[in-house]
Amino acid sequence: MMMMRQSGSRVAGLGSRLFSTSVINKGVHESSRIAKPSLLAKEVVGVNGGVVDTFVRARPAVAVFGVRQYSSTVTLQGETEKEKNKEEEKKVQNVNTTADSEKEKGNIVSYWGVPPSKVANKDGTDWKWACFRPWETYQADLSIDLNKHHVPITFLDKLAYWTVKSLRWPTDLFFQRRYGCRAMMLETVAAVPGMVGGMLLHCKSLRRFEHSGGWIKALLEEAENERMHLMTFMEVANPRWYERALVFTVQGVFFNAYFLGYMISPKFAHRVVGYLEEEAIHSYTEFLKELDKGNIENVPAPAIAIDYWQLPAGSKLRDVVMVVRADEAHHRDVNHFASDIHYQGRELRESPAPVGYH
């Protein structure tokens, strides 16, 4: 029995050393809890029936400090969010106020804040056209030679020439002497080659990482100029429904055909356009003859034509046809020139483009 007690006391002492425990009675244990509130006590039954109270240090102060810190951070964030919301509300109110004023002026309102462009004439008055700007206007060169003609020699030249000639017969049959509608139809087709050629040269420039020599801009200028011809003749001609349907058909067929032709042979494509422009010169010459005979009324020139070609006030339809015919002659020269560059085994970028050639 003595040996067992001694061994038990040894074990109890060993447990006290290893696990930082103390054998106390219930009364002392309760007072220890009060005296050390920062320690958490866990009661364990000891070997001798006593109570082994293991104290584990708690962190109530740290926890409370953490909660306080977190709550203060949340409070600051909340105040910051409120300030941001107030600023956003002010911005929205300013935008709404600006939008209301712009709507009253008849302007388009957008969230993105793109301001409406304001362009003025030389005299300070507001520019009324959105489809072109004052710096894009010009005076047509009426002194250009209208009788120049490229004689077809090679097989591709002859193919291009007779392709264009074959297209003239159905056009004459359909429109006959209605040159206003004929001009409108002609311009819906004539505006396609410059756009297709410029687009393909643009893609080629991107693929090869090289400049175009200005030919992209020159061809797109041609397309835009032809489109302005159409916008002008829309003011003097009222196409019928079947003529509008014909525009859809002809433009769709011609766009794809010219795109394919330019991909296969640019020199052939430009030669076709050169001959098309020669036919356009002929058509506008016939238009002028009908105006001079009085078969077509020489109405006042549209306002868009007066501003675009810088025509004098009081200009007539005949003046408009004159400048349009001069434009077609310039397009004839540019496209025959482009075809000649290809025929000489060169690329367009090797010769500076006639940008601004009107």
Side-chain angles (χ1 to χ4, degrees), residues 16 26 116 121 130 155 158 166 178 205 218 225 294 313 323 350 354 357:
S16 175
K26 286 283 184 178
N121 287 314
F155 170 75
K158 292 178 180 179
S166 65
R178 292 183 295 114
S205 175
N225 182 249
V323 295
E350 298 180 41
Y357 180 68

Side-chain angles (χ1 to χ4, degrees), residues 111-331:
Y111 164 78
W112 305 107
V114 180
S117 58
K118 296 180 180 180
V119 183
N121 287 314
K122 294 180 180 179
D123 57 0
T125 59
D126 292 336
W127 182 257
K128 60 182 178 180
W129 306 106
C131 54
F132 65 98
R133 301 303 188 189
W135 54 86
E136 296 174 338
T137 64
Y138 63 97
Q139 293 180 344
D141 180 15
L142 300 179
S143 64
I144 189 170
D145 187 358
L146 302 173
N147 298 318
K148 292 172 67 175
H149 168 66
H150 178 81
V151 179
I153 300 175
T154 65
F155 170 75
L156 283 180
D157 281 357
K158 292 178 180 179
L159 179 61
Y161 178 78
W162 289 110
T163 299
V164 173
K165 284 294 184 182
S166 65
L167 295 175
R168 179 178 174 179
W169 177 78
T171 305
D172 291 341
L173 182 64
F174 184 82
F175 291 103
Q176 297 181 2
R177 294 294 177 180
R178 292 183 295 114
Y179 284 101
C181 292
R182 184 190 184 108
M184 182 202 64
M185 173 63 72
L186 179 67
E187 300 304 339
T188 61
V189 174
V192 171
M195 180 60 66
V196 173
M199 176 185 66
L200 291 176
L201 287 180
H202 175 76
C203 294
K204 181 179 179 180
S205 175
L206 297 178
R207 290 195 307 271
R208 296 189 177 184
F209 306 97
E210 62 187 18
H211 294 285
S212 68
W215 280 94
I216 296 174
K217 186 174 183 179
L219 294 178
L220 293 180
E221 276 186 354
E222 176 186 318
E224 176 64 13
N225 182 249
E226 298 284 9
R227 191 185 67 85
M228 289 304 300
H229 293 176
L230 175 62
M231 297 297 102
T232 299
F233 285 113
M234 285 294 296
E235 299 292 328
V236 298
N238 187 19
R240 300 164 186 173
W241 68 268
Y242 56 84
E243 291 172 338
R244 291 177 178 269
L246 185 62
V247 168
F248 276 91
T249 305
V250 173
Q251 190 183 79
V253 172
F254 184 74
F255 179 93
N256 290 282
Y258 189 80
F259 181 90
L260 182 62
Y262 203 100
M263 291 287 291
I264 297 173
S265 176
K267 60 184 176 183
F268 169 75
H270 282 293
R271 191 69 79 197
V272 167
V273 179
Y275 287 130
L276 279 174
E277 299 296 353
E278 290 183 15
E279 290 297 324
I281 294 171
H282 174 76
S283 296
Y284 285 117
T285 300
E286 294 297 317
F287 197 167
L288 289 171
K289 290 179 181 179
E290 293 297 315
L291 284 168
D292 293 338
K293 291 178 182 178
N295 295 331
I296 299 177
E297 184 181 358
N298 191 20
V299 297
I304 189 173
I306 293 176
D307 289 340
Y308 183 70
W309 283 285
Q310 300 178 8
L311 296 174
S315 297
K316 299 289 187 178
L317 177 59
R318 191 181 192 282
D319 301 314
V320 176
V321 176
M322 290 284 290
V323 295
V324 170
R325 184 177 63 171
D327 286 347
E328 304 295 0
H330 286 85
H331 300 328

